[in-house]
Amino acid sequence: MFIRRTSTSFSQPGRHITQQKQTADANMLEHLQEILHAVGPWLPHTFVAFIFLLILKKYGGSHIQPLFFAKVYNPFLGTYHVTCQALKRHHFLSMKDHVSADPVLRKKGVLRILEIGPGPGYNFEFYPPNSELTVVEVNPYFEEQFFRKQKEHPHIKMERFVVGFAENMKDVPDNSVDIVVSTMVLCSVRSVEGALKEIHRILAPGGKYYYWEHIREAEYMWVLFVQHLASYTFYDLVFGCQLNRKSDEIIKRNKVGFSSIDQQRFRTPQKGGLHAILIFHSAHVKGIATK
């Protein structure tokens, strides 16, 4: 009598997870190598530029940073927009189903939208037809671009360009806006809590706040280290931005009293070459908060 011996293999989910983690770490290391290769030749020039910007910041007045952001940083924002365009379109898709709280606008099928810090207006393409758009922008150099965008986006009506801060939108009445939008803005405000309080104030009952923000890195410690280093040295000076801000946690605490908050963390798609530097703000949160 012969006994056939059989062997049984068991799946090892722990090993599979470890392999996934190793693959992710390898990809991150590859991104780091690409960044170092791309920026290495520019480091001496960057140091000189940093010293120059310090001098301009001290003696040139508050208009230096806004002008730099509008004229120089704009193309970089364009690359970021193209990379995230499909994801952003999906995020804003539910906006078309929202109904205005204003009876007159509701009959016309119109929404009153306010965007904080729109820059050159990359989000305008996502807004529903016939929307009435007001923007609150701290950078006055974007005003000309705002009204020029009307020709590119005839489906929406450009109402007002308000030069001001997210933490103090005193020119916008209470309960007057159906939708508030901010993308890549909360990193630069001086008080996230103050901005959220103002957003809640101007939203009509049932109004929604759509946000899309980069946040502090939570997975890769070397990325977090660079975020801290940049935020406490030159990044806020040059770009007016804090890479290591925990905007997602501040929103989740909900001190202003939104009736519901639906948000999720995610990572933006990564590209090679010089654009690999985007890894330092690839950790994001997107969400919709309802008044």
Side-chain angles (χ1 to χ4, degrees):
M1 182 177 183
F2 296 96
I3 299 175
R4 179 176 296 171
R5 295 181 179 180
T6 59
S7 59
T8 304
S9 61
F10 297 91
S11 62
Q12 298 182 2
R15 178 180 297 177
H16 180 64
I17 293 173
T18 301
Q19 290 175 342
Q20 286 183 328
K21 177 64 175 174
Q22 290 174 344
T23 301
D25 290 341
N27 290 336
M28 292 297 292
L29 181 60
E30 183 179 345
H31 279 300
L32 177 60
Q33 291 172 338
E34 288 183 354
I35 292 169
L36 293 174
H37 179 74
V39 305
W42 292 90
L43 288 178
H45 306 289
T46 303
F47 178 75
V48 173
F50 176 60
I51 298 299
F52 181 64
L53 284 168
L54 282 175
I55 296 172
L56 287 178
K57 184 70 174 180
K58 183 173 180 61
Y59 300 105
S62 59
H63 66 285
I64 297 297
Q65 187 188 81
L67 181 61
F68 170 82
F69 198 90
K71 303 300 183 183
V72 179
Y73 193 55
N74 212 1
F76 189 74
L77 288 177
T79 300
Y80 170 84
H81 173 70
V82 171
T83 301
C84 299
Q85 190 172 25
L87 291 174
K88 291 172 74 176
R89 188 182 306 279
H90 184 266
H91 177 56
F92 292 122
L93 189 62
S94 63
M95 196 180 292
K96 64 180 176 58
D97 300 322
H98 192 76
V99 178
S100 177
D102 186 309
V104 176
L105 296 182
R106 187 163 58 242
K107 289 181 180 179
K108 297 178 180 179
V110 174
L111 287 177
R112 184 173 287 128
I113 299 175
L114 183 143
E115 181 172 355
I116 303 170
Y122 290 122
N123 292 328
F124 296 170
E125 63 178 279
F126 306 127
Y127 297 153
N130 302 318
S131 298
E132 295 182 356
L133 179 63
T134 295
V135 303
V136 175
E137 173 62 67
V138 71
N139 191 336
Y141 291 99
F142 281 122
E143 183 170 5
E144 181 181 350
Q145 296 183 44
F146 171 73
F147 289 107
R148 200 164 57 231
K149 284 286 183 180
Q150 179 69 80
K151 295 180 181 179
E152 299 177 26
H153 303 287
H155 69 291
I156 60 178
K157 182 180 179 182
M158 310 297 188
E159 285 281 308
R160 299 173 62 199
F161 184 98
V162 179
V163 178
F165 297 89
E167 306 94 315
N168 183 18
M169 296 185 282
K170 61 181 184 301
D171 294 325
V172 184
D174 297 358
N175 306 308
S176 62
V177 179
D178 298 307
I179 302 287
V180 174
V181 175
S182 76
T183 61
M184 308 287 279
V185 166
L186 296 183
C187 59
S188 61
V189 300
R190 294 309 166 195
S191 169
V192 176
E193 292 87 350
L196 294 174
K197 184 178 180 180
E198 278 289 87
I199 290 168
H200 188 270
R201 176 185 67 80
I202 67 175
L203 274 173
K208 297 184 181 295
Y209 168 42
Y210 285 74
Y211 54 95
W212 171 292
E213 302 289 341
H214 73 77
I215 53 177
R216 178 179 294 196
E217 177 64 44
E219 187 175 359
Y220 300 102
M221 292 301 100
W222 67 269
V223 175
L224 178 59
F225 171 76
V226 174
Q227 284 185 337
H228 285 319
L229 182 64
S231 295
Y232 297 133
T233 54
F234 71 93
Y235 212 81
D236 189 29
L237 169 68
V238 178
F239 303 112
C241 166
Q242 295 185 21
L243 286 170
N244 57 354
R245 182 162 279 177
K246 299 179 180 180
S247 297
D248 56 329
E249 296 181 13
I250 297 173
I251 295 173
K252 190 176 180 179
R253 286 199 289 267
N254 194 21
K255 290 185 176 181
V256 300
F258 288 110
S259 63
S260 67
I261 296 175
D262 181 16
Q263 71 174 21
Q264 66 180 98
R265 295 174 60 102
F266 69 103
R267 193 175 293 279
T268 54
Q270 294 302 296
K271 301 181 69 174
L274 184 60
H275 296 297
I277 201 170
L278 289 171
I279 187 65
F280 297 122
H281 62 68
S282 66
H284 276 56
V285 64
K286 59 182 176 180
I288 303 173
T290 304
K291 182 173 179 178

